[in-house]
Amino acid sequence: MLKTLDLSQVIILDIETVPQYQSYDDVPPHMQELWENKTSHQRKPDQSAADFYERAGILAEFGKIICISLGIFSFQNKSYSLRLKSFAGDNEKEILEQFSLLIEKQSASLKFCAHNGKEFDYPYICRRLLVNSLEIPVQLDISGKKPWEVNHLDTMEMWKFGDYKHFTSLNLLATILNIPTPKDDIDGSQVRQVYYEEKNLDRIVAYCQKDVVTTAQVLLKFKGMDIIPDENITIVS
């Protein structure tokens, strides 16, 4: 499939998420109770629900999206280039509306590609769309579709080769495939702190875009192609 994959019909995707509230004390009491029940089997025996709340961003019921970054391939002058587009801010509904408007203009056969996207990015976006009373774009809606009709690519799943126990981070995968990546400014575990304490959204957007570029390069490697040079990667407003 990858050999015949038309990159012009692929959008690379990555999202960044944070807890809906800055601290556990800000969470409404009824939601605190639900959080405690939801995470009871995930927390260590001596770990309180409040201590565990810094991880709320990874659960769509208790987190929110603060950035969606996209990578779009184009072919010019006998080489590929990548254009980056991000939607970011404090208002999740506005981010999702802007994202949906762009996707609605694309072909219904458009394919998304993300690292661990099937476990995280795709379902997270769909759940938050529903929470915000927004329609799920046809390209993301898998309801009623057969497995081979779902146009969702996942570079981590590709690397598993059927091994369901296997997890490989994007950074590790890029390293072993000899894909140069910029020195990490932050990692996923620091996004909450950078957003709520440093209030530095631009730093988070840059991190999200870096992951989009890396995912795009991994996909090219999987197709047996050369990676895109830095001068062919641009950010559009």
Side-chain angles (χ1 to χ4, degrees):
M1 180 189 71
L2 286 181
K3 288 186 178 181
T4 59
L5 179 65
D6 182 2
L7 292 177
S8 68
Q9 290 298 306
V10 176
I11 287 186
I12 309 296
L13 178 147
D14 188 55
I15 66 174
E16 299 303 329
T17 64
V18 295
Q20 292 174 22
Y21 299 90
Q22 181 169 357
S23 72
Y24 186 72
D25 292 339
D26 298 324
V27 180
H30 69 287
M31 289 299 292
Q32 287 185 1
E33 182 177 350
L34 291 169
W35 169 254
E36 185 169 351
N37 293 336
K38 177 77 173 180
T39 62
S40 60
H41 297 296
Q42 301 175 40
R43 289 181 273 118
K44 297 177 181 178
D46 60 344
Q47 191 174 29
S48 69
D51 291 338
F52 198 68
Y53 185 70
E54 64 179 21
R55 298 188 60 189
I58 65 174
L59 297 178
E61 298 89 349
F62 299 92
K64 69 172 184 175
I65 296 171
I66 57 170
C67 180
I68 301 177
S69 290
L70 306 173
I72 302 171
F73 292 101
S74 61
F75 188 76
Q76 294 179 337
N77 300 323
K78 299 181 179 180
S79 63
Y80 276 99
S81 61
L82 187 71
R83 292 181 295 126
L84 303 175
K85 172 75 175 179
S86 293
F87 305 105
D90 301 317
N91 189 320
E92 182 186 49
K93 186 170 185 176
E94 289 183 0
I95 294 172
L96 292 169
E97 286 175 336
Q98 294 168 355
F99 165 75
S100 294
L101 282 174
L102 186 149
I103 300 305
E104 287 170 2
K105 298 176 183 177
Q106 311 303 314
S107 166
S109 61
L110 174 76
K111 295 178 174 62
F112 287 106
C113 180
H115 190 76
N116 199 30
K118 291 186 177 182
E119 288 290 328
F120 184 70
D121 303 75
Y122 308 142
Y124 201 111
I125 291 174
C126 291
R127 289 165 184 158
R128 296 309 301 173
L129 283 165
L130 289 179
V131 168
N132 284 279
S133 301
L134 297 173
E135 186 174 349
I136 298 175
V138 63
Q139 299 90 341
L140 277 174
D141 191 357
I142 64 174
S143 177
K145 291 183 179 179
K146 299 177 177 65
W148 56 87
E149 295 174 332
V150 177
N151 291 327
H152 295 171
L153 303 175
D154 188 328
T155 49
M156 192 176 82
E157 182 182 69
M158 295 174 195
W159 183 250
K160 284 181 177 181
F161 290 98
D163 181 359
Y164 291 100
K165 305 183 300 296
H166 201 66
F167 176 87
T168 302
S169 70
L170 180 60
N171 185 37
L172 173 57
L173 193 52
T175 300
I176 62 176
L177 292 175
N178 294 316
I179 297 173
T181 57
K183 184 178 180 180
D184 286 343
D185 177 37
I186 59 175
D187 61 40
S189 67
Q190 297 172 292
V191 170
R192 182 201 63 80
Q193 176 185 345
V194 173
Y195 178 74
Y196 278 118
E197 298 177 21
E198 299 182 17
K199 302 188 184 304
N200 192 340
L201 187 61
D202 289 342
R203 191 177 173 196
I204 295 170
V205 172
Y207 166 68
C208 192
Q209 290 175 341
K210 184 215 74 170
D211 277 356
V212 166
V213 171
T214 303
T215 303
Q217 307 288 37
V218 167
L219 181 62
L220 290 172
K221 280 280 191 174
F222 285 172
K223 281 178 61 64
M225 300 172 61
D226 294 332
I227 63 174
I228 298 174
D230 290 344
E231 58 268 24
N232 285 3
I233 299 173
T234 57
I235 300 173
V236 298
S237 57

